Amino acid sequence: MKTFNRNQLKLFMLFLMTLDHIPMFVSVEVSTFFHLVSRCVAVFFGYMVVEGMIHTKNKYNYTLRLWISALIMLLGNTILNFIFGLFLSSTRETLYLINNNIFLTLAIGATILCLADRIKQQSALIAKGLIILAVILLLLAGSLFSEGGLVVLPFILITFLTKNKKKARIYGYLILSLVTFFLSDFQPLLQARDFRDLLLMLGYNSSWLFLLVLPILKRYDGKKVQTSKKQQHFFYLYYPLHLWLISLVANFIL
């Protein structure tokens, strides 16, 4: 079976991610399909965070990079949304605002992993208890308030806790998928008016289909690859820049 390294798979995921971010340029049916097939993207990058934390020389610098990226993304989103509101709110019925920030979700995930490592190092029960409480609070807050956090953060934790335990990992993913379906994806399906509406809602409310990442991870060779500074910068910059460009085109040209 042909396998791929992490950089090759990241490029493929960036492609799928971009398809999910262009609904304003395609039909509802096409955008729903793009949304469905890209459910694997966020969890794939969550998986890469776990891998990155394993291979990096400094976990805290790695986590700090994600937090800095999240803050830059938030700042850029805020500035652009302010500009759109200031200059276009009176002339356009629809504004395409940017609320995406997967960097924040990944930064929270990396922070949880750093705290999980500290639990092993602590011998005092009170210290362990406080760190566990911090992990739970971060997990809850991140699940409620960060992009895709309800799926991505538990996915990161399951991946971390089941290292070298393939069966347990698969069962963990399956349970998470079922919980996600009934918690967030099932209820909207009951509002479908006809079969077409049901199919569209199935495609749009498809967070549980993060399981599509499994055949992709099966093709991942798991090896550490040398990533040049240019490649590293590309992976960090592509996400905000492509979203900001799409929003500019959608707001000023469409």
Side-chain angles (χ1 to χ4, degrees), residues 36-220:
L36 187 150
V37 299
S38 62
R39 291 312 83 206
C40 56
V41 173
V43 289
F44 172 82
F45 283 106
Y47 190 95
M48 287 296 106
V49 164
V50 178
E51 288 282 289
M53 294 291 278
I54 291 170
H55 294 300
T56 187
K57 294 176 182 177
N58 191 317
K59 295 176 183 180
Y60 299 105
N61 283 347
Y62 181 89
T63 304
L64 181 61
R65 261 199 318 271
L66 288 171
W67 278 108
I68 291 171
S69 299
L71 289 173
I72 291 171
M73 184 81 196
L74 177 62
L75 180 63
N77 289 356
T78 303
I79 292 170
L80 281 177
N81 289 341
F82 175 77
I83 291 170
F84 297 150
L86 185 64
F87 293 103
L88 301 175
S89 58
S90 61
T91 58
R92 290 184 62 98
E93 290 184 10
T94 303
L95 285 178
Y96 297 101
L97 302 179
I98 318 161
N99 299 306
N100 309 69
N101 196 344
I102 199 64
F103 284 137
L104 177 61
T105 314
L106 299 179
I108 294 171
T111 304
I112 288 172
L113 297 189
C114 286
L115 289 171
D117 262 352
R118 293 298 297 270
I119 294 171
K120 298 176 186 176
Q121 300 166 12
Q122 292 293 332
S123 55
L125 285 177
I126 294 177
K128 279 190 175 183
L130 289 173
I131 295 172
I132 290 170
L133 178 61
V135 167
I136 293 170
L137 291 175
L138 262 179
L139 193 59
L140 288 173
S143 295
L144 291 172
F145 301 113
S146 65
E147 181 186 0
L150 189 64
V151 172
V152 177
L153 294 177
F155 181 92
I156 287 174
L157 201 53
I158 290 167
T159 304
F160 176 75
L161 294 175
T162 57
K163 183 186 175 185
N164 301 323
K165 299 174 184 175
K166 288 186 179 180
K167 279 190 177 180
R169 178 173 285 181
I170 296 299
Y171 289 141
Y173 291 163
L174 287 173
I175 292 168
L176 177 59
S177 178
L178 284 171
V179 170
T180 302
F181 178 73
F182 287 108
L183 275 183
S184 67
D185 292 336
F186 177 68
Q187 187 64 31
L189 302 182
L190 302 178
Q191 301 170 20
R193 293 163 296 183
D194 51 41
F195 185 64
R196 176 184 177 275
D197 210 22
L198 178 64
L199 289 179
L200 289 175
M201 286 191 171
L202 274 170
Y204 188 74
N205 300 284
S206 52
S207 299
W208 64 280
L209 279 177
F210 73 84
L211 291 174
L212 291 172
V213 79
L214 293 180
I216 294 165
L217 292 179
K218 196 171 179 63
R219 297 281 182 142
Y220 171 47

Side-chain angles (χ1 to χ4, degrees), residues 229-244:
K229 285 291 182 183
K230 284 184 179 180
Q231 288 174 314
Q232 191 179 79
H233 292 156
F234 171 78
F235 287 126
Y236 274 94
L237 289 172
Y238 181 84
Y239 177 70
L241 291 181
H242 93 281
L243 279 170
W244 295 339

